[in-house]
Amino acid sequence: MAEFEKANSIGEWFDQRLNTSGFWRVMMTEYWIPKNINFLWAMGALLAMLFTLLLVTGIFLLMYYKPDVNMAFDSVNYTIMQEVAYGWIFRNIHGVGASVVFLVIYIHMFTGIYYGSYKKGREMIWLSGMLLFVLFSAEGFSGYMLPWGQMSYWAAYVITEIFGGIPFIGDELVIWIRGNFYVADATLTRFFMLHVLLIPLAILGAIVFHFYTLRFPHVNNEEGEFFDYKEESEKYLAGNQKESKVIAFWPDFLSKDFMVISIFMIFFFYLVFYHNAFAMDPVNFDKADGLKTPAHIYPEWYFLWSYEVLRGFFFDIAGISGKSLGLIAFGFAQIIFVLLPWLDKSPMVKPANQRPVFKYWFWILMADLFVLTIFGKLPPTGINAWVGFYASISFIVLFLALPYLTKLEAKMVGGK
Amino acid sequence: MFSLIVGLVVAVVLLVVNIVLLKISFVPKELRILTIISIMVGYVYWGFEPFAHHEMHPHVAEASYEFDGKGDIEALEAQAKEIEAKGGDRSALDTEIAQTKEFWSNVVAISELSGNVETGSELVVANCTACHSIESEGFPKLMEDTDAAAAYGVTPPDLSLAGRIYDKNYLAAFIINPVKAMHIEHKYPVTGSKVFPMPGSDWMSNQEIADMVAYLQEVASKVDAPTVADGASDFEIAKAKNKEVFEAACVRCHSMEYAGIDAKTSAEAMREYIGATPPDLSQHIRSRGADYLHNFINDPQRKLPGTGMPRVGLTLEAEKQVVDYMEQIGDSKKQEREALGPIVLIYLTILAVFALLWKKQIWKKLH
Amino acid sequence: MINESRRGFMGKAFGAVAAVGAVGSLVAMKRSWDPLPSVMAAGFTTVDMSKLEENKLEIVKWQGKPIFLLKFAADMPAVEKRSVKVGEHYYSVMIGLCTHLGCIPAYSSANKQFKCACHGGEFNAAGIHTFGPPPRPLDIPPFAIKDENTIVLGESSPEYEALIASLSTDNNIA
Ligand code: HEM
Ligand code: FES
């Protein structure tokens, strides 16, 4: 070890030992981001912010929450909501945050799809992002069970029941997941564990990994342009910032992120204080009752589209039961986004509106997802069931057709 | 169905607008993107919230506090029409409609008489205090609540506040025929073997009924406001008053755990009495909301046909107090929330302005 | 660091405003650790004194602490500034934690004294230390006499104030 000189400041003392300035440079001031981006590229930082809010408020809820079927409901709705000083605000932030985080995840995800940010070297970004989506879904589902209201109970019941459709092992699997023949105390305590420990840990890890995957391919930009980062960053460091195509992560990129986050927080806290029923379903303020199914059962809004794909197949086709078809379609919907980088055969990295075929595909997919989401909440009777069926079929067809459509696009573009 | 089609058309139009917006270049680009996203988010929100609610919770007739039987008659007539349309026989319903019309026109006639408090007092003592207490007037309970529930099927209410919290017409209708006034004919059919614990007094003259109602109103007007601790806030005083009404109107059957209130009739006795256990009301302000509660309490059968809960006949004023109380217990931090909300939002607006200025300063060097 | 200074004035201003928000949230976080209203309300224990037997120690729990209630027999003289008169009888009402290091002394009816097992401290029936390391008599909890049979622990009263006031002016009680 080289000899250390006496440090002149605390900063220097740490710098000698931890190379903090080097770390700062690599992670912050010389981490290069393209300049040609819009506020949609702030969604990632916004997600990190929302996750932090969820984590902190979750810790405070944890101090009074009781994971026991006899106590859970009152520990939330009485102790936390009426007794604990500011308990209500922690719960409202947590509840609204859990819902809004999915809104931002979807915006983030569809930004990626729109600009083709999953392609050509960015596959790992996409995969780690999808991993985060799966983890957040599990986190949302397990958390929804905890207040032990009617929706908690019946959502848990219906969703765990889905696993019963898996051939051969289904029935045992359902019991294994629940730890009982029905959704019971054991189910609550194990989902509690998942919600407050295992999944958050996994999410933290996955977020770090997701950030790491961004490092080498760099984030995409509005035009899908590829350029030489070395050259551009040298321009920047030489003081030629106006001409350089890159900006520094700190403070350039983050100053914009903070701005977007601050503005978004106004909207977010408006929801927290004045408009939280969409995230905290009224039905869930009835205590869980295993002998009384609510008149309408539906998942939280962000699961509605895939729930509708599950429900869409309500009759048997070619001797396969509707239930199995629904399950297969549901399974398809869960994994198909993961495969997007390989389903899209067109080498073009461009925003959708500049892609002759993909642009139609993208907007039709959006419309289909809207239809699925909206009908996912409605009672599946009469015409609703048929709309659900056709929307589910369209969803599947859209993805099956994507490789052919994008090959066609590649030819069209190549031929120009 | 109509709103469904409208919704779909709007969706398509919005999508077209989206694509057109993308091409309009005089609007700053980021603003265009924001508009597009806002339209899409707003549309999905409309779909899974207001629209879905509208589809799942069909509208029912507005609450009415007139208690003149109009609603009852209209409902019966609608039922008769439906039967007729299906080619059924509406004669049984026609008799019922005629009876109901007569019953309520009689009630309205009573409400126009002026009652004599003295005679009313004698009549009430002779006819009611064998079962009902009127504690404010010194008629005590004759049995413990549990014994009373065992004897009558449900704990009979104390009548001290009856003249204030129940509508005048409703009281008259109730004295004549409780089952009809409460809309629980389905639980106690005229031909059935189950008999409602309180006998109707249809043998009394209209004047006598008016006298009794006048007496009950007089009694209620003399009841003192509930006592509160010295220096209690306006909020606490209002809460105590609301609680008094809630206890008189609801607590014979319902508990309110979060206020430490137990139903006066046990769950088992209630099951005997109406065939169901009335829910604890601690969180109903959240699970049902004030609008639903008003509409439901006003006439439970309208919102939930077949429910065991009777129409209690609260005046609008008393019903407001009941719902307010449910809010003061079930959403006790509402005041705090509404006080803190503006502060947080103003703070965040200031924060956002500073964030914007900082970003502008940084980005000036970049563009 | 040159980049650091580039944050400039607006950056600092933004940071300052953000810090205000952070402090605000810390206040809410701190408050959420406070004891709940129900805990504060449970800080009162009502005791029915008519159930007590002479010269037999009764222990009730108040705010999680053992409270010694001892009804004096006819042959036990009341101790000025220590004994509490409720109805016709005198009582000791004391926090049952040794004033040395907080063990719970045991009462012997035969000797009419408390003995602390931890380091051998002793107190008489009025709770005054008579032997060993305890530095002062057993503490007296706030109490209020409601009627001839009932006292409420946790609520202050003129009787309690008087006891405490006289104690603090008189250190040589033993
Ligand atoms: C809560 C979870 C997530 C966090 C905290 C997060 C965070 C971030 C951050 C900070 C960035 C860089 C800045 C930006 O482009 O916004 C980013 C980029 C990206 N993320 Fe995520 N993300 C999350 C979830 C997801 C999900 C669910 C997906 C989709 C499957 C995803 C896909 C992407 C992609 C494709 C990029 C690159 C964007 C580009 O190159 O333009 N992320 N993420
Ligand atoms: S603790 Fe009692 S003598 Fe030491």
Side-chain angles (χ1 to χ4, degrees), chain A residues 320-390:
Chain A
I320 310 172
S321 76
K323 188 177 174 192
S324 307
L325 285 172
L327 262 175
I328 296 167
F330 182 67
F332 178 85
Q334 295 307 305
I335 56 153
I336 200 65
F337 277 102
V338 180
L339 300 180
L340 199 57
W342 296 277
L343 294 176
D344 185 343
K345 304 273 184 202
S346 160
M348 257 186 124
V349 180
K350 283 276 168 223
N353 70 331
Q354 295 178 23
R355 295 175 59 184
V357 179
F358 188 79
K359 68 175 165 201
Y360 297 108
W361 185 88
F362 180 84
W363 288 112
I364 294 171
L365 175 70
M366 291 301 288
D368 193 43
L369 286 170
F370 289 171
V371 171
L372 286 169
T373 300
I374 292 169
F375 282 81
K377 191 154 179 181
L378 299 180
T381 44
I383 176 123
N384 292 358
W386 285 102
V387 174
F389 172 73
Y390 286 115

Side-chain angles (χ1 to χ4, degrees), chain C residues 48-173:
Chain C
D48 179 0
M49 306 297 268
S50 68
K51 298 233 166 74
L52 299 190
E53 287 169 37
E54 287 182 357
N55 195 24
K56 193 163 165 269
L57 183 70
E58 183 70 33
I59 302 180
V60 297
K61 220 166 156 189
W62 167 73
Q63 292 190 352
K65 298 188 191 96
I67 300 300
F68 287 171
L69 300 167
L70 184 64
K71 185 175 184 175
F72 281 20
D75 62 338
M76 293 162 72
V79 177
E80 205 195 330
K81 294 176 189 165
R82 297 279 311 168
S83 301
V84 179
K85 191 167 187 213
V86 184
E88 293 303 298
H89 299 275
Y90 284 95
Y91 299 85
S92 278
V93 177
M94 312 177 292
I95 297 179
L97 299 174
C98 180
T99 49
H100 178 221
L101 289 173
C103 292
I104 302 177
Y107 186 65
S108 149
S109 297
N111 303 331
K112 299 200 175 67
Q113 71 165 4
F114 293 93
K115 206 166 163 54
C116 181
C118 291
H119 316 92
E122 285 175 14
F123 303 84
N124 66 17
I128 295 167
H129 52 302
T130 52
F131 177 78
R136 59 173 200 281
L138 293 176
D139 294 327
I140 297 181
F143 64 86
I145 301 168
K146 289 289 157 180
D147 57 45
E148 65 265 36
N149 282 326
T150 323
I151 68 167
V152 174
L153 298 171
E155 190 179 322
S156 186
S157 66
E159 291 89 347
Y160 167 71
E161 300 288 344
L163 271 188
I164 291 299
S166 64
L167 276 181
S168 56
T169 55
D170 181 3
N171 287 324
N172 302 327
I173 196 136

Side-chain angles (χ1 to χ4, degrees), chain B residues 11 62 67 73 117 119 130 166 176 181 186 196 214 234 269 283 287 303 325-326 337:
Chain B
E62 286 301 317
F67 297 99
I73 295 160
V117 174
T119 349
Y166 303 121
I176 302 172
H186 58 296
F196 186 74
D234 288 352
Q283 283 296 286
S287 65
K303 269 278 186 202
Y325 186 64
M326 293 170 81
R337 192 170 68 233

Side-chain angles (χ1 to χ4, degrees), chain A residues 98-408:
Chain A
S99 201
V100 166
V101 86
F102 277 93
L103 171 65
V104 184
I105 284 181
Y106 283 138
I107 296 177
H108 187 61
M109 201 169 139
F110 284 97
T111 302
I113 298 180
Y114 185 85
Y115 290 101
S117 308
Y118 50 86
K119 297 209 256 183
K120 264 212 196 139
R122 296 202 176 88
E123 293 89 344
M124 283 313 293
I125 307 178
W126 182 256
L127 286 184
S128 60
M130 279 312 293
L131 175 66
L132 275 168
F133 179 72
V134 171
L135 288 172
F136 265 88
S137 300
E139 183 71 356
F141 173 66
S142 57
Y144 200 56
M145 195 185 296
L146 302 185
W148 207 244
Q150 273 289 68
M151 274 297 177
S152 302
Y153 182 90
W154 289 97
Y157 179 87
V158 171
I159 300 299
T160 49
E161 197 70 26
I162 289 178
F163 291 93
I166 297 176
F168 308 116
I169 54 162
D171 292 342
E172 282 89 55
L173 185 63
V174 174
I175 296 173
W176 182 78
I177 291 171
R178 292 176 180 166
N180 201 321
F181 300 105
Y182 56 104
V183 173
D185 199 59
T187 327
L188 178 61
T189 45
R190 64 185 54 183
F191 276 83
F192 171 69
M193 180 285 288
L194 289 175
H195 186 74
V196 306
L197 182 75
L198 197 56
I199 304 176
L201 269 183
I203 288 178
L204 279 172
I207 289 179
V208 172
F209 182 56
H210 189 59
F211 286 6
Y212 179 66
T213 60
L214 292 163
R215 185 83 206 190
F216 298 104
H218 288 275
V219 297
N220 196 4
N221 53 67
E222 270 190 319
E223 296 298 323
E225 188 185 352
F226 291 91
F227 49 81
D228 186 342
Y229 273 83
K230 199 158 183 308
E231 207 175 283
E232 298 299 329
S233 60
E234 271 157 14
K235 270 193 218 158
Y236 182 100
L237 287 174
N240 212 351
Q241 292 158 357
K242 286 197 201 295
E243 260 140 64
S244 173
K245 285 184 173 171
V246 297
I247 58 176
F249 186 65
W250 172 267
D252 307 341
F253 181 69
L254 279 184
S255 71
K256 184 162 180 180
D257 282 358
F258 287 164
M259 178 186 84
V260 173
I261 291 173
S262 302
I263 294 172
F264 188 84
M265 283 298 131
I266 301 175
F267 169 66
F268 179 74
F269 276 90
Y270 162 74
L271 297 177
V272 165
F273 281 100
Y274 301 107
H275 206 97
N276 49 45
F278 77 96
M280 300 160 85
D281 200 285
V283 180
N284 222 22
F285 287 89
D286 275 344
K287 219 180 251 189
D289 181 349
L291 298 176
K292 195 170 134 206
T293 312
H296 305 282
I297 309 184
Y298 41 82
E300 287 290 85
W301 71 268
Y302 40 86
F303 291 141
L304 287 170
W305 68 269
S306 55
Y307 185 66
E308 186 62 4
V309 172
L310 175 77
R311 290 199 312 187
F313 297 85
F314 59 96
F315 50 87
D316 301 355
I317 300 175
I320 310 172
S321 76
K323 188 177 174 192
S324 307
L325 285 172
L327 262 175
I328 296 167
F330 182 67
F332 178 85
Q334 295 307 305
I335 56 153
I336 200 65
F337 277 102
V338 180
L339 300 180
L340 199 57
W342 296 277
L343 294 176
D344 185 343
K345 304 273 184 202
S346 160
M348 257 186 124
V349 180
K350 283 276 168 223
N353 70 331
Q354 295 178 23
R355 295 175 59 184
V357 179
F358 188 79
K359 68 175 165 201
Y360 297 108
W361 185 88
F362 180 84
W363 288 112
I364 294 171
L365 175 70
M366 291 301 288
D368 193 43
L369 286 170
F370 289 171
V371 171
L372 286 169
T373 300
I374 292 169
F375 282 81
K377 191 154 179 181
L378 299 180
T381 44
I383 176 123
N384 292 358
W386 285 102
V387 174
F389 172 73
Y390 286 115
S392 306
I393 291 281
S394 311
F395 179 83
I396 294 168
V397 168
L398 274 172
F399 276 93
L400 293 181
L402 185 60
Y404 303 101
L405 295 176
T406 42
K407 257 186 216 152
L408 182 75

